[in-house]
Amino acid sequence: MEERPETELISIPATPRASTPEILTPSGQRSPRPASKEAKSSTAWTPTSFISPRFLSPIGTPMKRVLINMKGYLEEMGHLTKLNPQDAWLPITESRNGNAHYAAFHNLNAGVGFQALVLPVAFAFLGWSWGILSLTIAYCWQLYTLWILVQLHEAVPGKRYNRYVELAQAAFGERLGLWLALFPTVYLSAGTATALILIGGETMKLFFQIVCGPLCSSNPLTTVEWYLVFTSLCIVLSQLPNLNSIAGLSLIGAITAITYSTMVWVLSVSQQRPPAISYEPLSLPSFSASVFSVMNALGIVAFAFRGHNLAMEIQATMPSTFKHPAHVPMWKGAKVAYFFIALCLFPVAIGGFWAYGNLMPSGGILNALYGFHSHDIPRGLLAMTFLLVVFNCLSSFQIYSMPVFDSFEASYTTRTNRPCSIWVRSGFRVFYGFISFFIGVALPFLSSLAGLLGGLTLPVTFAYPCFMWVLIKKPSKYSFNWYFNWILGWLGVAFSLAFSIGGVWSMVNSGLTLKFFKPPN
């Protein structure tokens, strides 16, 4: 009589053998087990590594199946991640159903805005060669640092760094990380929100003037009153509860940013160029003045790339497990977003400088378009351009204000140990909106300080991520990776100091009189 293999003798007929290659996930869906080839090639240890064929070989088939199912459950749920119960009450982490599409919308809305419109001003001081070179280097640099932030979101097993400040504290220490990251990130969020109120209010005023024309009433609204109107609209939209809930607004902001950026440079290059146009860098009376103006121009280029202070927060809205980590959809969305960001920034900078040369006013290409061609372009097109800018400012205000709302509610929930009610949450957002309004009224020149803002906030984008990679990932000492990130980080710090000095010099010499939409003479 033939001997049967031992595996057949211990098999259980009641259970189909075809079911063993699959595991049942908590959601009720079957997912295939990892292939044996992948299992052999993976040497990384996880807390479920002990559930291995070698360990399970002496155990019977039923127990083996139970343990394998348990392993699949733990890996599917991301068992290592320790969730803070307070996160379920805060607007950034309240909803974790984000995806790659949401990441693309948020990154594009945060990455393109009014700062792109002043890029031709930097080219007026840098010229063609240095302007294009600096813009290209800055784009590649910030794309690399964004990749670093995406990878560091879950760099330590069992911990999700949901906010930029949390990652800085993990890298630099609790106190030093707080001091290094808190000021520039708050400055980026609150300062950008205030600048958006100024730009949005003045753009609404110009839109009204274009649409109404000579039929306007004899007592039109003042600029401050238009600021108040725009602030009120921002406050109404800010009542959306969390970061995922404003994905629709971010989509609108992304579409309007792409549209008005394209319209601005297309309308500019399609018109006749002003007489006596020149593409030589602006000459200043002294060598020191020329150096400071170049530093300020490079600061404008650096300020064009923003949004890194929101990268951790955007990724925090996504679910994450061992099988489906959050960095995968986040990076997919970020790559799509920054492809469109490049399609917006480079044509605006190059097309704007080609159309106006060094006659570019300090307010940027939209200022130049209104000043030089307001009578040549149909009023409908001009009005649509300004209206798209207003929509984009309203959308950008929401995503840049969300970290501030999160901080307010974190302080409240820490003190009271309960979530914010609707009235408390609304009160925080109304308070923040009007505080930004009063700051904008008190400092109406804030929107013209692109160089200074770029210098002060440059480490968040270009320097800190490189230091964080070295301190958290700990690459081999004196390796290429180690040298590369240290050099980039310290270059970012040096540029930050230089650009800030150039921004202060430009601010002092302009007498704090620059306005974003002040028509040229």
Side-chain angles (χ1 to χ4, degrees):
M1 184 176 65
E2 295 182 359
E3 294 184 0
R4 292 187 178 181
E6 184 179 354
T7 54
E8 289 190 26
L9 292 175
I10 64 172
S11 62
I12 299 177
T15 304
R17 295 185 63 182
S19 65
T20 53
E22 294 184 338
I23 59 174
L24 192 64
T25 62
S27 60
Q29 300 176 345
R30 289 189 177 274
S31 60
R33 290 171 54 192
S36 58
K37 184 177 179 180
E38 296 178 4
K40 290 179 181 179
S41 63
S42 176
T43 57
W45 182 90
T46 66
T48 56
S49 295
F50 69 89
I51 310 178
S52 62
R54 179 177 300 178
F55 176 81
L56 294 171
S57 58
I59 303 180
T61 303
M63 179 62 72
K64 179 179 179 179
R65 189 175 294 114
V66 169
L67 291 177
I68 289 175
N69 287 341
M70 181 181 70
K71 178 182 179 181
Y73 173 82
L74 293 175
E75 289 183 349
E76 186 71 24
M77 295 303 295
H79 60 287
L80 279 179
T81 304
K82 299 175 183 177
L83 299 177
N84 183 358
Q86 187 185 15
D87 283 344
W89 300 339
L90 302 179
I92 288 177
T93 51
E94 186 177 59
S95 172
R96 291 189 187 268
N97 60 353
N99 51 46
H101 299 90
Y102 286 12
F105 302 158
H106 290 316
N107 279 287
L108 189 51
N109 186 30
V112 180
F114 69 91
Q115 79 282 1
L117 302 178
V118 295
L119 277 175
V121 179
F123 274 53
F125 291 96
L126 299 173
W128 280 118
S129 300
W130 287 107
I132 295 175
L133 182 63
S134 61
L135 185 61
T136 304
I137 292 175
Y139 178 81
C140 297
W141 190 347
Q142 61 84 34
L143 195 60
Y144 170 69
T145 55
L146 178 65
W147 177 83
I148 288 178
L149 292 175
V150 171
Q151 298 300 315
L152 291 181
H153 179 74
E154 293 177 287
V156 178
K159 175 67 176 177
R160 292 187 71 174
Y161 299 112
N162 297 318
R163 296 157 186 86
Y164 194 100
V165 175
E166 293 179 7
L167 183 62
Q169 289 178 313
F172 303 116
E174 292 288 333
R175 297 187 63 182
L176 182 59
L178 186 65
W179 281 103
L180 289 176
L182 185 62
F183 171 74
T185 52
V186 171
Y187 195 72
L188 269 173
S189 296
T192 302
T194 303
L196 287 169
I197 289 177
L198 300 179
I199 296 164
E202 294 186 22
T203 311
M204 290 181 73
K205 178 181 178 181
L206 287 176
F207 172 76
F208 181 76
Q209 291 175 352
I210 293 171
V211 172
C212 189
L215 302 178
C216 290
S217 61
S218 58
N219 296 317
L221 295 179
T222 64
T223 303
V224 175
E225 290 171 337
W226 280 113
Y227 292 163
L228 184 59
V229 172
F230 184 84
T231 303
S232 301
L233 293 175
C234 289
I235 291 174
V236 172
L237 293 175
S238 70
Q239 302 307 312
L240 292 171
N242 52 60
L243 189 53
N244 267 341
S245 66
I246 66 170
L249 285 178
S250 290
L251 175 60
I252 294 174
I255 293 174
T256 54
I258 295 172
T259 305
Y260 81 69
S261 298
T262 304
M263 289 181 64
V264 164
W265 72 263
V266 168
L267 289 174
S268 296
V269 300
S270 62
Q271 300 298 318
Q272 185 176 2
R273 287 180 287 180
I277 189 174
S278 174
Y279 299 108
E280 293 295 324
L282 290 172
S283 58
L284 295 175
S286 64
F287 176 77
S288 60
S290 299
V291 171
F292 285 132
S293 64
V294 169
M295 291 295 102
N296 181 60
L298 292 174
I300 293 174
V301 173
F303 183 59
F305 299 102
R306 59 178 190 174
H308 284 52
N309 60 309
L310 300 170
M312 311 304 293
E313 286 80 354
I314 295 172
Q315 195 167 348
T317 64
M318 301 179 184
S320 184
T321 66
F322 272 152
K323 289 186 176 181
H324 307 287
H327 69 84
V328 175
M330 176 64 181
W331 184 237
K332 286 181 180 178
K335 286 189 293 184
V336 173
Y338 276 86
F339 171 76
F340 285 104
I341 288 173
L343 292 183
C344 293
L345 297 186
F346 282 87
V348 166
I350 296 172
F353 186 57
W354 182 88
Y356 306 107
N358 55 19
L359 298 178
M360 177 67 62
S362 59
I365 187 172
L366 196 58
N367 187 346
L369 182 66
Y370 181 77
F372 287 110
H373 303 301
S374 58
H375 301 293
D376 304 326
I377 299 175
R379 285 199 309 168
L381 278 178
L382 204 58
M384 182 183 296
T385 304
F386 285 113
L387 185 62
L388 291 173
V389 173
V390 173
F391 287 158
N392 177 256
C393 290
L394 287 171
S395 303
S396 298
F397 182 91
Q398 308 308 320
I399 192 168
Y400 272 93
S401 301
M402 197 60 70
V404 181
F405 300 157
D406 188 84
S407 299
F408 285 162
E409 296 188 28
S411 300
Y412 176 85
T413 56
T414 301
R415 292 175 180 272
T416 62
N417 197 29
R418 66 173 183 268
C420 292
S421 65
I422 295 178
W423 297 109
V424 172
R425 174 172 282 182
S426 299
F428 282 145
R429 301 183 182 196
V430 171
F431 170 77
Y432 172 75
F434 283 111
I435 285 293
S436 301
F437 164 75
F438 287 123
I439 293 175
V441 172
L443 304 174
F445 53 84
L446 185 63
S447 59
S448 65
L449 307 183
L452 179 60
L453 293 174
L456 292 175
T457 59
L458 184 143
V460 172
T461 302
F462 295 96
Y464 291 165
C466 300
F467 293 143
M468 293 172 183
W469 180 265
V470 174
L471 295 174
I472 294 178
K473 286 293 188 178
K474 296 181 172 31
S476 299
K477 202 171 184 180
Y478 307 123
S479 64
F480 173 79
N481 195 349
W482 188 86
Y483 275 117
F484 183 70
N485 284 285
W486 275 118
I487 291 173
L488 279 185
W490 285 114
L491 278 176
V493 173
F495 286 150
S496 175
L497 294 174
F499 299 168
S500 299
I501 293 172
V504 171
W505 177 88
S506 176
M507 180 180 67
V508 171
N509 281 269
S510 65
L512 302 181
T513 58
L514 297 177
K515 296 289 291 192
F516 191 80
F517 289 119
K518 180 182 176 183
N521 295 326

